[in-house]
Structures are given as C-alpha cells and as structure tokens.
Amino acid sequence: ETGVTQTPRHLVMGMTNKKSLKCEQHLGHNAMYWYKQSAKKPLELMFVYSLEERVENNSVPSRFSPECPNSSHLFLHLHTLQPEDSALYLCASSQTRGTWNTEAFFGQGTRLTVV
Amino acid sequence: KQEVTQIPAALSVPEGENLVLNCSFTDSAIYNLQWFRQDPGKGLTSLLLIQSSQREQTSGRLNASLDKSSGRSTLYIAASQPGDSATYLCAPQTGANNLFFGTGTRLTVIP
C-alpha cells in the first residue's frame, strides 16, 4: 500500500464516547499533520509533528489529543466531543528539510459525525 | 497570518474550454505553493508544487504560475474534461510546517 492511509473513513460517535483516528504514511516522510475541514471553511491546521516531535498546536481544544509513536504513524484521540466538531479530518505528510517542505500528500480523510 | 483568496468561488465551463483559476495570498514570504484538487467528501490530491524560486510548473494539461512578489498564482487547465470537475485549492507554505488554504474554486465541466 502506498501514500497516506486514514482509518476509519467514517465515524459516528456520541458526545461521551472516546475514539481514535489513525493515519499511516508509506512515503518515508518525517513530518505529519492533522487538518480539520468544516463545511464552507478553509482547511484548518490542527497539529504538526516533525521528526516525531509536536512542533505546532493551533489552539486546538484539549478534547483532541494527538499522538505520534513513530514517523509513519499519527493518531488523533477524541473524547467528549461537541456536535460542532463534526467535520472531515485530514492527515497529511511531507519531508521537512530545515525551513521548507517537499510536496505534501493527503489521506482520504475521516468523516466524523458527533451526535 | 497568511490569508488566501481564490477567485472565482465556482466556475462552470463546457468541455474542451481552456480556463484559469486564480489564487492570491497576503504574505509573499512563502517557501513554495502547492495546488490540489479535492473531489466531494474525499481527501486532497496534489497537482503541482512550485518552489518560491520558480515562476512556472507544468504537468500534462495543467500549468501553474507564481508571482511571489505580488502574492498571486494561477492554475491554467487546457482542454477541460468532465473528469476535471472538482474543487481546486491553492496552498502557500509560510513557515517551516504550515500550508495555508483558501476555500477553493469549485469547477464543473459540462459534457
């Protein structure tokens, strides 16, 4: 399997549930990202991991918790979400070289619905 | 903070027509700019990457240009096909790990 793979593709969860989104990249990249895409809004960067260290956290509520156990895997742990958190969550990867990155590749996304 | 604007927001053209999508950004201190397409409910597919030192990049029927000093990029699609129907997004990279996105241009190519 190549590229960036996200699972599950669809997820429906209650506000009291705990779930996790998974992302795996097979491109040998050293940086991974979580983005949120809500209807009629630009993609919003949530978290960035570079060389397995979190380098950016764009004021994301603590009910979203990222984890990067190695350079190929990225998780987003979800707990006590709100209905407004329903969105398409996209994972991406790229190769970081100092201050710039190579081409970024995205997964197919997880469509999350919070009920 | 980088602001990205894409005009038009939606575009409908007959098959075979050549078209231009526009992207403007407020912070010209970018490292590169990437164009993506997104099909409904799906992830982003990378189309072209232009480094800040480049003026143009081509891939098949697609040609992207970059005028970094004026904060503009265009995506030219030649001989459009119904399979080109999608939302097109431009994303300048500002800072070490950040792509900024606009809301895209939704393209419909009519057979």
Side-chain angles (χ1 to χ4, degrees):
Chain A
E1 196 166 353
T2 59
V4 181
T5 304
Q6 290 186 243
T7 54
R9 293 293 309 278
H10 301 273
L11 178 62
V12 179
M13 60 185 288
M15 289 190 282
T16 58
N17 290 161
K18 289 185 180 180
K19 296 285 184 183
S20 296
L21 309 185
K22 179 183 176 182
C23 177
E24 186 173 358
Q25 59 98 0
H26 305 272
L27 300 167
H29 288 163
N30 61 8
M32 296 186 75
Y33 312 76
W34 280 116
Y35 282 86
K36 176 184 178 182
Q37 187 177 35
S38 304
K40 300 190 191 300
K41 285 186 171 182
L43 271 78
E44 303 168 55
L45 179 65
M46 299 176 73
F47 302 104
V48 181
Y49 276 82
S50 178
L51 299 171
E52 300 161 38
E53 295 289 326
R54 190 191 310 181
V55 296
E56 194 139 351
N57 175 348
N58 276 353
S59 304
V60 178
S62 59
R63 57 186 184 268
F64 295 91
S65 175
E67 179 190 0
C68 186
N70 55 61
S71 60
S72 300
H73 294 85
L74 185 65
F75 295 89
L76 188 62
H77 304 299
L78 316 170
H79 63 97
T80 59
L81 294 192
Q82 305 298 311
E84 60 264 29
D85 297 322
S86 299
L88 182 66
Y89 288 84
L90 292 161
C91 173
S93 72
S94 68
Q95 186 70 13
T96 292
R97 292 174 181 156
T99 55
W100 61 275
N101 294 332
T102 61
E103 192 173 3
F105 290 88
F106 281 74
Q108 288 297 298
T110 294
R111 171 66 63 186
L112 174 67
T113 303
V114 182
V115 298
Chain B
K1 183 187 172 186
Q2 179 76 277
E3 301 282 341
V4 180
T5 303
Q6 290 189 246
I7 295 173
L11 180 63
S12 186
V13 300
E15 182 177 2
E17 198 161 290
N18 302 326
L19 58 102
V20 175
L21 307 181
N22 296 293
C23 169
S24 61
F25 45 94
T26 54
D27 183 354
S28 61
I30 65 170
Y31 293 104
N32 58 49
L33 184 143
Q34 203 166 345
W35 280 93
F36 296 89
R37 70 171 277 168
Q38 185 177 30
D39 295 290
K42 300 288 181 65
L44 277 63
T45 300
S46 178
L47 298 173
L48 289 163
L49 172 73
I50 311 180
Q51 300 293 348
S52 61
S53 58
Q54 295 178 309
R55 300 282 287 183
E56 210 169 288
Q57 192 69 254
T58 298
S59 176
R61 295 183 293 109
L62 305 179
N63 176 277
S65 68
L66 174 64
D67 184 344
K68 185 180 158 184
S69 60
S70 66
R72 291 179 185 171
S73 178
T74 62
L75 180 68
Y76 175 83
I77 303 177
S80 58
Q81 302 171 359
D84 295 330
S85 298
T87 296
Y88 289 80
L89 298 160
C90 78
Q93 185 202 341
T94 307
N97 292 292
N98 210 345
L99 290 175
F100 285 87
F101 288 85
T103 50
T105 295
R106 190 174 69 252
L107 173 66
T108 303
V109 180
I110 303 164

